[in-house]
Amino acid sequence: MKRLIFDSHAHYDDEAFAPDREELLQSLPEKGVCTVVSMGADYEGCKGALDLASRYSYIYAAVGIHPENVAELPSDYLSQLEEWAKQPKVVAIGEIGLDYHYKDMAPREVQKKVFEDQILLAKRLNLPIVVHDRDAHGDTMEILRRHRPKGVVHCFSGSVEMMREVVSLGMYIGLGGVVTFQNARVAVEVAKEVPLTSLLTETDAPYLAPVPFRGKRCDSSMIRYVAQRIGEIRGQSADEILLAARHNAETLFDIIAEE
Ligand SMILES: [Zn+2]
């Protein structure tokens, strides 16, 4: 099988994969997966992503602190991230961003400060960022406009208008399982209008499995269904979508995918 599937966003350190992680990761290349970028979301997650990247040639790592985990950071977290980020298979700072969905998250000012500090680190190291934006479109855009980092807004949930602005800043749009959901009206519009040169495919595994696996544990091979749906919406083949997304991801993360 041709390996066209580039999963630009997954969490293979997640405990959902504990029972069969190695078996699953060994099987993904033969299911068409060429590359996975496994995200760090806290210290343990970063270490987990680095470990996987060191053991699997097709897995790369991103290191960063997710907004969910910013409340009790050690004061030297940026130098720890920097040390990790200099390892050869680290291709991005992520996942970082803003999450205003739950009331008990860290205060917005704290989230914004940690987000911006990590953007500045990424810019200094010339790495792209992987952005998490949940119910925080206004502040996310304000920060991206001001700093103009390279990167991707993952699991993009904004409007077509916001998508156009993200693209005009030179950033990419990450689309995953949500486009296959029955009630996905805005995501479908975005999938239709996004320039093919700005699209990345992703899972957010173990979350957000596409239809017909919705609600089950997600893995990178399921991106085939995401590409199928995006192709259907745009009048293109799944392979065309996968190929374009792979090319875009190679450009953004500055790597060459395995064939
Ligand atoms: Zn994620």
Side-chain angles (χ1 to χ4, degrees):
M1 180 185 279
K2 270 193 295 176
R3 292 169 66 189
L4 297 181
I5 296 174
F6 195 118
D7 187 352
S8 60
H9 191 117
H11 298 268
Y12 281 113
D13 63 295
D14 194 282
E15 61 185 25
F17 295 109
D20 60 346
R21 182 178 291 109
E22 307 303 324
E23 207 182 318
L24 173 70
L25 292 177
Q26 274 158 27
S27 77
L28 289 180
E30 57 208 50
K31 294 175 184 161
V33 176
C34 61
T35 310
V36 167
V37 183
S38 201
M39 295 292 129
D42 58 13
Y43 267 37
E44 283 313 304
C46 291
K47 286 186 210 157
L50 290 167
D51 170 59
L52 293 172
S54 73
R55 292 189 296 112
Y56 290 91
S57 62
Y58 74 97
I59 299 182
Y60 291 79
V63 294
I65 308 294
H66 188 286
E68 202 174 273
N69 305 314
V70 301
E72 283 164 25
L73 277 176
S75 58
D76 66 343
Y77 80 96
L78 280 170
S79 45
Q80 177 61 74
L81 283 182
E82 177 163 357
E83 193 186 314
W84 284 330
K86 287 177 174 162
Q87 295 193 24
K89 287 190 80 188
V90 175
V91 294
I93 299 294
E95 108 177 64
I96 63 175
L98 303 175
D99 195 320
Y100 297 167
H101 187 71
Y102 297 108
K103 292 248 164 355
D104 58 352
M105 288 275 193
R108 293 180 180 195
E109 290 315 309
V110 176
Q111 291 194 34
K112 286 199 253 184
K113 168 93 170 83
V114 174
F115 184 28
E116 292 195 59
D117 285 347
Q118 293 183 94
I119 291 177
L120 294 175
L121 174 67
K123 289 183 75 167
R124 193 152 55 74
L125 299 175
N126 197 27
L127 286 171
I129 60 170
V130 180
V131 178
H132 171 99
D133 158 27
R134 190 168 189 199
D135 297 343
H137 300 329
D139 285 351
T140 299
M141 287 313 300
E142 190 276 318
I143 288 171
L144 295 180
R145 249 177 242 133
R146 197 147 38 80
H147 292 287
R148 300 193 161 244
K150 298 187 287 188
V152 53
V153 180
H154 118 84
C155 193
F156 186 81
S157 59
S159 63
V160 168
E161 191 188 357
M162 177 173 159
M163 175 274 286
R164 294 209 170 101
E165 188 178 1
V166 170
V167 167
S168 78
L169 291 173
M171 295 182 73
Y172 291 83
I173 301 291
L175 294 180
V178 173
V179 293
T180 69
F181 295 176
Q182 203 95 66
N183 54 352
R185 197 179 49 81
V186 182
V188 165
E189 270 173 50
V190 168
K192 188 173 173 200
E193 300 294 331
V194 64
L196 201 54
T197 48
S198 301
L199 170 70
L200 297 190
T201 45
E202 63 168 57
T203 53
D204 210 15
Y207 309 106
L208 299 176
V211 174
F213 306 105
R214 189 172 182 181
K216 300 212 170 81
R217 185 183 76 175
C218 185
D219 72 62
S220 307
S221 68
M222 295 176 188
I223 282 185
R224 193 163 295 288
Y225 295 86
V226 173
Q228 191 80 46
R229 179 70 184 119
I230 296 175
E232 206 175 278
I233 293 163
R234 301 173 65 97
Q236 293 180 282
S237 72
D239 278 7
E240 275 177 274
I241 301 298
L242 289 175
L243 206 57
R246 184 178 80 177
H247 176 77
N248 297 339
E250 287 179 322
T251 305
L252 177 64
F253 297 117
D254 195 21
I255 53 178
I256 307 226
E258 290 181 0
E259 291 284 340

